Amino acid sequence: MIVRKLQDVRKSDRNVKSAQWESARLLLKDDSMGFSFHITTMYAGEEIHMHYQNHLEAVLVLKGNGTIEDLGTGITHQLASGVMYALNAHDKHIVRPQTDILCACVFNPPVTGKEVHDESGAYPAEADMIREAALTN
């Protein structure tokens, strides 16, 4: 059984921050659950371009509001407490938080915990991270 407190994770190296968001990664690949689980805050006023080419993601908005634009269809959806979206086709998208958005996120395959978005808005595949680490050592 794995038990973690969000407040403890936020004080650890499992809490990853960028200028646009902060993600407390409660479950990661090394927890061997087959998925990773994050509590993420996307900051108000940002325009966050993402395209998870190597991961599928489901997100439940817990608090806040904004929009998500599906760049493949051009359709914009409202985000608010209780709304779930799933990026089941590696959907290229933009999230525009009008207020801070607090959400619960699940990734498959699980992330390792060190990922940040690359220039395309994706997290790298684990094989890419291993290759990159080998080149720098």
Side-chain angles (χ1 to χ4, degrees):
M1 180 181 292
I2 300 168
V3 177
R4 294 195 173 105
K5 292 181 180 179
L6 179 58
Q7 65 190 20
D8 294 339
V9 171
R10 289 207 187 277
K11 297 175 193 170
S12 76
D13 64 352
R14 287 176 170 257
N15 197 62
V16 178
K17 296 180 183 183
S18 83
Q20 299 178 312
W21 51 264
E22 177 177 352
S23 183
R25 295 164 177 191
L26 290 138
L27 290 173
L28 292 168
K29 182 179 183 203
D30 63 4
D31 292 311
S32 301
M33 293 290 295
F35 61 89
S36 57
F37 178 70
H38 315 187
I39 299 297
T40 299
T41 302
M42 294 182 280
Y43 301 134
E46 295 295 330
E47 185 167 285
I48 308 165
H49 294 253
M50 293 175 275
H51 184 200
Y52 295 119
Q53 300 166 49
N54 304 302
H55 299 84
L56 300 175
E57 181 189 27
V59 176
L60 176 63
V61 177
L62 303 171
K63 184 176 169 184
N65 60 63
T67 62
I68 182 169
E69 180 181 355
D70 180 337
L71 294 177
T73 65
I75 297 172
T76 297
H77 303 274
Q78 293 297 311
L79 298 177
S81 178
V83 173
M84 186 279 306
Y85 63 89
L87 304 167
N88 60 324
H90 305 286
D91 310 279
K92 195 172 192 177
H93 62 288
I94 302 172
V95 176
R96 295 179 180 97
Q98 294 162 337
T99 65
D100 284 358
I101 294 177
L102 179 68
C103 52
C105 312
V106 177
F107 280 87
N108 182 17
V111 301
T112 64
K114 304 303 180 202
E115 294 87 351
V116 292
H117 296 111
D118 66 16
E119 62 281 346
S120 72
Y123 287 151
E126 186 177 8
D128 294 340
M129 291 178 64
I130 291 169
R131 222 179 355 267
E132 212 172 282
L135 292 174
T136 60
N137 291 333

